[in-house]
Amino acid sequence: MEETGHHAEKAMSAGGPARRPPVTPLLAVDNLLVNLGQYSLVPVLGLLIATQDRSTGATAVGVGLFVYFAAVGVSCLLVNRWLPRFGYTTAMVVSALLAAVGFGLLAFVHAFAALLVVLLVAGFGQSVHQVLARVLIAENTTGDVERNKAYSTMNIAVNVAGALGPFIASALYVSGDGRPLMAAVAVCYLLGAAILFAGLPRVLKQGARRPRPTVNAWPVSRAGVAAALRSPHAWRTVVVATLATFLYAQFYSAFALMIADEVTTPVLRAVLLSGPAIMIVVLQPAITAVVTHLLRRGTRPMTLLGGAAVVFGLAFLALGSGLPLAAACLLTVALFAVAEMVFTPMLNTAFAALAFESRLEALNFRQICWTAGEALGSLCGGTLFLLVSDRGLGRFYWLALGGAAIVSAVLLLLPRQRTAHGPTGRSDTRPPSPAVTASAGSSR
């Protein structure tokens, strides 16, 4: 967007009027449903892959997780040119239907190649759905503070689903038969599609029913990336976000596999896996209030993302600390939840504020960074962790991961020489406008 528009947006986020998107409540219900499907599956996805094709080993499980999360992350970029042509309603409804088909078929295929195909289909549907929901909020909300509030509302809805999902998985995935669970997952996506089909056209104004297209055929233009990464602050934002995403992915890969192997009670496994989601549902409003206060005082999204990465690292150190398993897992769950309450909304907020003319392009860039972190994190957690754990060295995996995470995040957050750039990391040779000065605070 233009400089003046961005400055006005920052001024509004500093305390002026800001528009709350009428689509947020509808998207919250949709996110609750589609993520109820996803989080009923993700905790047992590695086990399901291994069960459907019993010839697979640790490497194949890691590859399957990598394929799914890579599809969730970047497959939407393949249809970047088409999304603005179809508009929000058509693209989001069709994407939910594709996810329903992919997950529904997952329980009926057994060859590893076929498993990868249906995971790709489901991941593609999830990818398009998630990106358009974020873009829809970004284009209907003004300023970092208001966007963070809207994304926090979405995070609560997602984590209600995350809290219920592991219990649904424990109840429906029994004795290696995935058919009941996959049927429930498919129904969740079908209900989400129906709600959007009925409600989205009514809450969107005629001129806002399609995302603003990217500047060219590429999901992210070279000029856009160059503008966004021109300052040290901006590229550090990207690196910290990717690092935090890599750490986030460990919970649903390495931690989930460790729980499945070492915790024998299904209910306790569900409690541990749903623990962060339950805490987020209860505490997200309070954490959002604290984050809002910090943003208004001039704290940058990159700093908050880096803090979340440090807390992720502390959570993993707890698993290697030598504490009794139950105590270590409970401490990890608590720390992970605190980090996620900052990380998830702030990731979207940080990328929505980068210097791109199109919010679709900015959030496409977010998808690339998210995918790099989540897919590699899942590959590491689904393969390296199993290989290390089979040799009795699981504790050292967590110690190395947590220590490296903390050191890396602290180094990225160390103060750098002040440069003249705006809050989005855009390099400017002229003095900042009064709007930026008012919103930036003394720390900027």
Side-chain angles (χ1 to χ4, degrees):
M1 86 187 311
E2 296 298 325
E3 283 280 13
T4 54
H6 184 74
H7 290 167
E9 184 176 292
K10 284 290 178 178
M12 288 184 183
S13 72
R19 294 178 290 116
R20 297 301 301 273
V23 297
T24 299
L26 182 66
L27 291 179
V29 174
D30 167 67
N31 262 19
L32 173 61
L33 287 167
V34 299
N35 283 286
L36 184 60
Q38 176 167 241
Y39 287 109
S40 297
L41 170 68
V42 167
V44 297
L45 181 56
L47 298 175
L48 182 65
I49 293 170
T51 303
Q52 290 298 101
D53 184 354
R54 296 186 182 276
S55 65
T56 58
T59 301
V61 172
V63 169
L65 292 172
F66 178 86
V67 165
Y68 173 69
F69 287 115
V72 169
V74 297
S75 59
C76 63
L77 305 182
L78 302 177
V79 293
N80 171 73
R81 296 180 62 185
W82 296 97
L83 294 182
R85 300 181 186 181
F86 286 110
Y88 289 112
T89 301
T90 301
M92 294 185 74
V93 168
V94 171
S95 64
L97 294 176
L98 285 174
V101 170
F103 286 131
L105 291 175
L106 185 59
F108 297 95
V109 296
H110 298 280
F112 185 63
L115 287 170
L116 295 183
V117 171
V118 297
L119 285 172
L120 281 171
V121 172
F124 174 75
Q126 183 76 6
S127 180
V128 172
H129 204 81
Q130 289 179 336
V131 166
L132 288 181
R134 296 185 192 108
V135 174
L136 194 51
I137 286 178
E139 291 190 340
N140 283 270
T141 316
T142 302
D144 287 347
V145 170
E146 292 303 319
R147 285 195 186 117
N148 188 68
K149 289 180 181 178
Y151 289 128
S152 294
T153 300
M154 302 291 284
N155 198 37
I156 293 172
V158 169
N159 281 281
V160 170
L164 297 174
F167 292 97
I168 295 173
S170 295
L172 297 180
Y173 185 58
V174 180
S175 302
D177 184 1
R179 289 174 295 179
L181 176 59
M182 292 300 99
V185 169
V187 168
C188 288
Y189 280 92
L190 291 174
L191 289 174
I195 286 175
L196 288 181
F197 182 76
L200 200 53
R202 287 199 289 247
V203 300
L204 285 179
K205 296 179 180 179
Q206 187 66 37
R209 294 186 176 181
R210 301 174 186 271
R212 183 185 302 176
T214 54
V215 295
N216 55 37
W218 292 97
V220 181
S221 65
R222 286 188 299 173
V225 173
L229 301 185
R230 195 169 291 146
S231 76
H233 166 72
W235 68 254
R236 282 193 291 147
T237 297
V238 171
V239 174
V240 168
T242 306
L243 169 65
T245 306
F246 177 91
L247 300 172
Y248 172 83
Q250 298 296 315
F251 188 83
Y252 295 107
S253 55
F255 184 75
L257 291 168
M258 185 192 77
I259 293 299
D261 181 55
E262 299 186 28
V263 177
T264 58
T265 306
V267 174
L268 180 56
R269 287 201 299 266
V271 168
L272 290 173
L273 291 172
S274 64
I278 295 170
M279 292 182 63
I280 289 168
V281 171
V282 175
L283 298 177
Q284 182 72 69
I287 297 297
T288 300
V290 173
V291 170
T292 296
H293 175 72
L294 293 173
L295 287 172
R296 292 189 187 280
R297 287 177 60 87
T299 304
R300 290 177 172 181
M302 185 270 294
T303 303
L304 294 168
L305 285 173
V310 170
V311 179
F312 279 140
L314 293 173
F316 299 136
L317 286 180
L319 292 174
S321 64
L323 289 171
L325 179 63
C329 288
L330 289 172
L331 180 57
T332 293
V333 165
L335 290 170
F336 185 90
V338 171
E340 187 180 350
M341 282 184 272
V342 177
F343 161 71
T344 302
M346 192 51 58
L347 183 69
N348 298 321
T349 303
F351 278 89
L354 288 179
F356 288 93
E357 301 218 357
S358 163
R359 299 299 180 201
L360 177 59
E361 186 174 358
L363 289 164
N364 281 343
F365 191 34
R366 179 252 189 225
Q367 281 302 104
I368 294 172
C369 296
W370 170 275
T371 302
E374 186 174 45
L376 291 174
S378 298
L379 179 62
C380 180
T383 297
L384 179 60
F385 172 75
L386 287 178
L387 295 174
V388 171
S389 182
D390 287 344
R391 290 165 173 77
L393 300 174
R395 177 184 174 188
F396 296 99
Y397 176 88
W398 296 116
L399 289 174
L401 179 68
I406 292 171
V407 171
S408 300
V410 169
L411 289 175
L412 287 165
L413 291 174
L414 287 176
R416 298 295 199 273
Q417 183 177 359
R418 295 173 67 90
T419 57
H421 57 69
T424 62
R426 175 186 313 221
S427 177
D428 289 328
T429 55
R430 59 180 183 235
S433 75
V436 172
T437 305
S439 66
S442 58
S443 66
R444 296 191 187 185

